[in-house]
Amino acid sequence: MKRLAGKAALVTGAGRGIGAAIALAFAREGASVVLAELDIDTAQQTAAHIKAQTGARVLAVRTDVTQSASVQQAVSEAEQAFGAVDVLVNNAGINVFCDPLTMTDDDWRRCFAVDLDGVWNGCRAVLPGMVERGTGSIVNIASTHAFKIIPGCFPYPVAKHGVIGLTRALGIEYAPRNVRVNAIAPGYIETQLTHDWWNEQPDPAAAQQATLDLQPMKRIGRPEEVAMTAVFLASDEAPFINASCITVDGGRSALYHD
Ligand code: NDP
């Protein structure tokens, strides 16, 4: 029996990176999957790839998580196609790394619009159905920035701390209705986002090496390694895990260093 057989899942920002890996892992485990993604071309390409690999039912819907009506529309399309949304993964996120005092108001708003409002918009759209059916699992992709601070990365960690707060608050609110809300805190994962960050540094190769040097496992993570944890939290193997956060960082955030 596949671990997500009979379930329908909506994954935001699923066109590439961690979201695409989660969508593929869910499909492999028998779920029908909706890729809710800003860039519809990428979403459709990824959807076609997942379909070809797994034979699962896959739908790509253009979605901007910063707009509640857009997320609501994606959920409506998912419900029309698959009957319900049993699992939501709020994955879409952007890096906004600034110095607090030179940051613009727009930087602040852009960060919160995607990294925190986007997560709430997703939760708000699926919760009524989950509460009514008395079952559901929401997985929010946070970050190790949700509990550790690196200077110069403001305000991303502020928004990611908020994701943990939202996860815990909603997990408690809806626990009596058997709706679980959890988070995953990835460390460095090999995606476009990470390469973009390295490439923005004055010496990208040195920045990449410095990242690797501080990894206890001497490598960064792979999107599939976050996806495995998402499958677990979404599945019926985690029925008593709620309002929690699982760190997937190879031990990096436990390492003390000068
Ligand atoms: P990527 O940038 O590779 O992928 C993010 C995806 O989200 C892109 O497809 C992007 O679409 C989409 N997206 C961006 N804005 C929106 C929006 N407003 N509405 C819908 N989709 C949107 O990122 P990762 O896969 O690396 O990151 C995924 C999540 O994991 C994020 O929340 C990130 O903060 C978190 N994370 C990542 C880590 C890492 O090391 N990679 C570490 C810790 C956390 P488009 O390309 O069109 O903009």
Side-chain angles (χ1 to χ4, degrees), residues 13 15-19 36-39 63-66 91-94 114 141-143 156 160 186-189 191-194:
R16 69 180 197 200
I18 293 170
E37 162 69 53
L38 196 55
D39 181 341
T63 309
D64 181 351
V65 297
T66 69
N91 163 79
I94 56 170
V114 181
I141 305 300
S143 166
Y156 178 79
K160 290 294 187 179
Y188 276 96
I189 306 296
T191 69
Q192 190 62 47
L193 195 74
T194 307

Side-chain angles (χ1 to χ4, degrees), residues 139-227:
V139 180
N140 297 325
I141 305 300
S143 166
T144 47
H145 288 255
F147 46 86
K148 295 279 181 176
I149 300 296
I150 302 175
C153 294
F154 193 84
Y156 178 79
V158 187
K160 290 294 187 179
H161 275 67
V163 170
I164 299 296
L166 183 62
T167 300
R168 298 180 70 192
L170 295 179
I172 298 304
E173 289 284 349
Y174 297 103
R177 305 309 307 247
N178 196 34
V179 176
R180 296 179 297 107
V181 186
N182 291 293
I184 298 174
Y188 276 96
I189 306 296
E190 178 116 34
T191 69
Q192 190 62 47
L193 195 74
T194 307
H195 281 277
D196 287 347
W197 184 78
W198 283 328
N199 289 334
E200 284 162 15
Q201 303 311 304
D203 184 344
Q208 184 165 357
Q209 193 56 52
T211 301
L212 290 176
D213 288 345
L214 282 172
Q215 298 297 316
M217 300 182 83
K218 298 302 166 204
R219 67 171 180 87
I220 65 169
R222 295 186 290 272
E224 309 81 73
E225 292 171 323
V226 180

